[in-house]
Amino acid sequence: MKKSYILSAILALFMLKAFAQPATAPTAPPTRNASNVISIYGGAYSNLTGTNFNPNWGQTGFATASEITVGTEKIRKYPNLNYQGIEFTASNLTALDSLHLDIWTPDCTKLDVYIIVPGGGPNSERSVTATLNLSGWNSVNIKLSDYTAAGLSSLNNIYQFKFVSNTPASGTTIYLDNIYFFSNANLPTITGFTMPAKKVGDAPFTITDPSSNSTGAFTYSSSDTTIAKVSGKTVTIFNAGTAVITAMQAASGPYVSGSATSNLVVGYDLPSASQNPTAPQSTVKSLLSTVYTNNAIDNNTWRASWCNATADTAMIPNALTIRYTNLVFSGTEFAGTNSIDATTMQYFNIDLWTPNNSTPVKVKLVDFGADNAYGGGDDKTSIEYVLSPAPIRGSWNHYSIPLTSFTGLDTKAHLSQLLFIGNSTIILLENVYFSTTVTILPVNLSEFKAVKNGNSAVLTWKTLSELNNKGFGVERSADGISFNQIQFVNGNGSTTAASQYSTTDNSPLNGTNYYRLRQVDNDGKQTYSATVSVNFSTSNTVGFSFYPNPVKTKIVVTLQSISSTNASISLINADGKTVRTIVLNNQNANSNVQFDVENIARGNYFLVLKDGATMKTSKVLVN
């Protein structure tokens, strides 16, 4: 009989725990400004949509979370807790300062509450331990600074919770309500902040201030100045991609500072087709071309299963073009019977176009060996080659790379994989093939210069060879973005001899004039040169112009008036470090000086001219 009483008591305790739940709802949260709250769950505020309250993270011994109703309030129940989480829309919490949860439990005295950002790694999640009473609802407020102090990488992309039973370690039950992030400060309500869709080449535009219940002044910034830069309220577009534009409002009256963001999406127009190669079919083994018969590739796709970028066929008339978007690494395979024996080939050729890349792109060739499989025989000699010079944005870039440049590629008899490696960039590929001879472009432009001669700009350029060259449209721009043709210079048709060209702009614009060449074939195909510039400012202030831009080896700087006996012009990198300086005096006025950049790192730099108290700065790309 005594054993029966004991069993009955154990059963009663088990039943009490199994069916224990709150009899009342927690205290309702206070009324808050909508801009001060991001709510995940609860009836007091507007909740984020699309939240997953039962993500499957491989935990064991966990019953599915459910929802119960207490009075008129819905509450989340998490029974038999080992750990569980919540996935919600990624949220920027940098303007908020606290996390609130209402927790009821019959048996968990300590609960670890994690917040998580994407990416994994040691700093992507951190926890704070909440100590709980078992006698009723626990109103828990956690400072978000406790998470960052513990090592959380950021608060600008929080997208998950994880709840872990700490004491005891498993088998507990918790009830959750009113899960929200909030700010104790009085944030302004900022609405109507949007960015228009733009394209590379669009003129600068002015930001319209958003609406706000605060009178604080707005300032603006860009998350990626290689895509778009903000000066005051003026946005200047440089490259394709997405930049986050932030509107920061200063504190005013009862309101603290606040912010709003909007994505500026910059698109681009596809180019016309690249120039057709002229090497005979018998000297070529092609992968991608409308001119040659192409070697078969695995699964008929230029995006292998291990690729990270998206890949599609760019719709360019009369061309076969592959486009990689958000490229970090991507490519194709042509193993097995599709592998290429390139032992008699001498060059690897690519035509590449990019609207937004400003760093070198790498090419990697892989030879699987005789077995044509991973992990066996003499396979996987694989070498990366950095395309040099770095591709010029907005122009087709042709590379004819000696296979000897792939140093360490011990065998080329079973080439089976081709990879392209970038920096989250967009590239278009055309005319990808191996050849026995170096590929000569139909028009091989080797030089383009612009210099000031009195009130005129003298433009000179040189070609090493030409094939079916109709001529050159000479285009001018006031901002380096929007160009108009001012002249057309006839080409020499077809010639293997070097040719010199020259023309004069007798009516340059006041200020900096940007020039480029639009080379046109007889069949209408066209390509663009790099851009050069000349300054024709009518003011008496210190100034300079330079060419070329982008630059490979030397920058030629044309100085105007120099008033100081101790002036200087410096080349400064993006980190603010001076890498070259030339000391000037007034005898250098109206003359040229040169900077050698061949041995400095590729990237964006600033030319800074100092003349007494006056300073002028201009951006230059070294590639």
Side-chain angles (χ1 to χ4, degrees):
M1 184 65 67
K2 183 176 181 180
K3 183 181 294 186
S4 177
Y5 283 133
I6 294 173
L7 290 173
S8 297
I10 292 174
L11 181 61
L13 289 172
F14 174 79
M15 295 296 289
L16 180 64
K17 176 179 176 181
F19 292 101
Q21 68 178 48
T24 60
T27 302
T31 300
R32 296 182 185 275
N33 190 316
S35 62
N36 290 359
V37 177
I38 296 177
S39 181
I40 310 301
Y41 183 78
Y45 311 116
S46 296
N47 300 316
L48 295 178
T49 59
T51 300
N52 181 5
F53 291 95
N54 283 293
N56 181 8
W57 292 344
Q59 60 269 45
T60 59
F62 185 80
T64 302
S66 59
E67 191 173 57
I68 67 169
T69 301
V70 177
T72 60
E73 183 75 6
K74 293 186 180 298
I75 297 168
R76 283 283 165 185
K77 176 182 179 181
Y78 290 87
N80 193 26
L81 182 64
N82 175 4
Y83 68 87
Q84 180 56 297
I86 299 176
E87 294 179 342
F88 49 91
T89 304
S91 301
N92 187 339
L93 307 183
T94 53
L96 307 180
D97 54 44
S98 301
L99 165 65
H100 176 86
L101 310 95
D102 286 322
I103 307 173
W104 193 99
T105 177
D107 49 16
C108 180
T109 57
K110 288 186 178 181
L111 180 72
D112 293 334
V113 180
Y114 288 78
I115 58 176
I116 305 172
V117 297
N123 299 321
S124 65
E125 63 176 53
R126 285 293 185 271
S127 69
V128 172
T129 300
T131 300
L132 306 175
N133 295 316
L134 305 183
S135 56
W137 282 101
N138 296 267
S139 180
V140 177
N141 289 318
I142 302 173
K143 292 182 178 180
L144 296 180
S145 59
D146 290 345
Y147 289 100
T148 55
L152 187 71
S153 59
S154 71
L155 293 172
N156 62 8
N157 201 23
I158 304 300
Y159 82 126
Q160 285 179 343
F161 286 116
K162 182 170 68 173
F163 305 112
V164 179
S165 185
N166 179 305
T167 307
S170 62
T172 62
T173 299
I174 63 171
Y175 296 81
L176 297 178
D177 194 13
N178 300 319
I179 307 171
Y180 59 88
F181 301 98
F182 68 98
S183 173
N184 286 299
N186 191 18
L187 291 169
T189 301
I190 302 173
T191 59
F193 184 52
T194 59
M195 290 291 108
K198 292 292 181 178
K199 285 186 177 182
V200 174
D202 285 353
F205 68 95
T206 301
I207 295 174
T208 300
D209 286 339
S211 300
S212 176
N213 54 359
S214 170
T215 59
F218 280 101
T219 56
Y220 301 93
S221 62
S222 170
S223 65
D224 191 337
T225 55
T226 66
I227 294 173
K229 184 178 181 180
V230 183
S231 178
K233 293 184 180 181
T234 300
V235 180
T236 302
I237 296 166
F238 296 105
N239 295 308
T242 300
V244 179
I245 307 299
T246 299
M248 179 62 70
Q249 188 172 33
S252 178
Y255 297 101
V256 298
S257 62
S259 65
T261 61
S262 179
N263 288 339
L264 172 61
V265 180
V266 181
Y268 58 94
D269 291 323
L270 290 171
S272 55
S274 176
Q275 300 177 79
N276 287 333
T278 58
Q281 173 72 65
S282 59
T283 66
V284 166
K285 293 189 177 182
S286 178
L287 290 170
L288 183 72
S289 177
T290 57
V291 177
Y292 305 120
T293 301
N294 296 315
N295 191 78
I297 60 175
D298 294 5
N299 302 317
N300 196 32
T301 176
W302 276 74
R303 186 186 184 280
S305 59
W306 36 261
C307 298
N308 83 306
T310 58
D312 68 340
T313 302
M315 301 304 293
I316 298 175
N318 304 315
L320 179 57
T321 309
I322 297 298
R323 173 171 51 189
Y324 289 125
T325 304
N326 296 323
L327 173 70
V328 176
F329 59 90
S330 199
T332 186
E333 294 179 344
F334 33 95
T337 57
N338 295 331
S339 67
I340 292 178
D341 182 355
T343 53
T344 62
M345 299 288 107
Q346 300 298 317
Y347 295 89
F348 180 64
N349 303 274
I350 311 166
D351 287 341
L352 184 149
W353 185 93
T354 176
N356 68 338
N357 184 72
S358 60
T359 57
V361 175
K362 297 178 182 179
V363 177
K364 186 175 183 179
L365 291 173
V366 182
D367 191 299
F368 284 179
D371 59 352
N372 282 298
Y374 291 103
D378 58 349
D379 69 324
K380 295 192 302 302
T381 57
S382 57
I383 299 297
E384 292 180 1
Y385 175 80
V386 179
L387 295 181
S388 180
I392 298 172
R393 295 187 294 268
S395 297
W396 279 107
N397 300 263
H398 176 76
Y399 297 93
S400 194
I401 309 163
L403 286 175
T404 54
S405 297
F406 292 88
T407 307
L409 190 64
D410 299 329
T411 174
K412 297 183 285 291
H414 308 92
L415 292 176
S416 306
Q417 218 176 53
L418 169 63
L419 292 80
F420 294 91
I421 301 164
N423 185 22
S424 299
T425 190
I426 300 167
I427 65 170
L428 276 66
L429 302 173
E430 194 177 328
N431 299 321
V432 181
Y433 60 95
F434 299 89
S435 64
T436 59
T437 58
V438 64
T439 299
I440 303 298
L441 285 177
V443 175
N444 191 353
L445 183 69
S446 66
E447 183 179 84
F448 179 39
K449 296 180 180 180
V451 296
K452 184 177 180 181
N453 183 16
N455 294 323
S456 300
V458 177
L459 311 176
T460 58
W461 62 98
K462 180 180 179 181
T463 64
L464 299 181
S465 62
E466 299 178 29
L467 179 65
N468 298 321
N469 179 26
K470 181 178 180 180
F472 302 90
V474 180
E475 298 184 346
R476 184 181 65 196
S477 169
D479 57 11
I481 299 174
S482 299
F483 285 84
N484 294 302
Q485 181 173 305
I486 59 172
Q487 297 178 26
F488 190 88
V489 177
N490 291 328
N492 286 321
S494 297
T495 177
T496 57
S499 301
Q500 292 277 0
Y501 292 87
S502 177
T503 191
T504 301
D505 180 8
N506 291 313
S507 302
L509 305 172
N510 181 39
T512 300
N513 289 248
Y514 298 89
Y515 298 94
R516 71 182 184 186
L517 299 175
R518 180 175 56 86
Q519 185 272 319
V520 184
D521 291 349
N522 287 329
D523 62 3
K525 290 185 178 180
Q526 56 190 25
T527 56
Y528 290 90
S529 72
T531 301
V532 298
S533 64
V534 180
N535 189 280
F536 284 88
S537 176
T538 58
S539 68
N540 294 322
T541 58
V542 62
F544 67 92
S545 61
F546 62 93
Y547 67 88
N549 189 17
V551 59
K552 300 176 183 178
T553 57
K554 291 184 185 296
I555 306 173
V556 179
V557 181
T558 301
L559 301 169
Q560 299 170 28
S561 61
I562 300 293
S563 59
S564 173
T565 58
N566 188 26
S568 66
I569 187 163
S570 301
L571 187 66
I572 298 173
N573 66 18
D575 296 325
K577 181 180 178 181
T578 300
V579 296
R580 298 279 193 278
T581 294
I582 297 176
V583 177
L584 308 170
N585 55 46
N586 49 21
Q587 294 180 352
N588 294 110
N590 302 310
S591 66
N592 291 342
V593 297
Q594 292 188 5
F595 278 94
D596 184 353
V597 298
E598 189 169 10
N599 295 319
I600 71 172
R602 310 298 90 175
N604 288 310
Y605 289 81
F606 296 92
L607 277 173
V608 179
L609 176 61
K610 296 181 180 179
D611 188 10
T614 304
M615 182 173 71
K616 184 175 180 181
T617 301
S618 189
K619 189 175 181 180
V620 60
L621 173 63
V622 177
N623 68 6

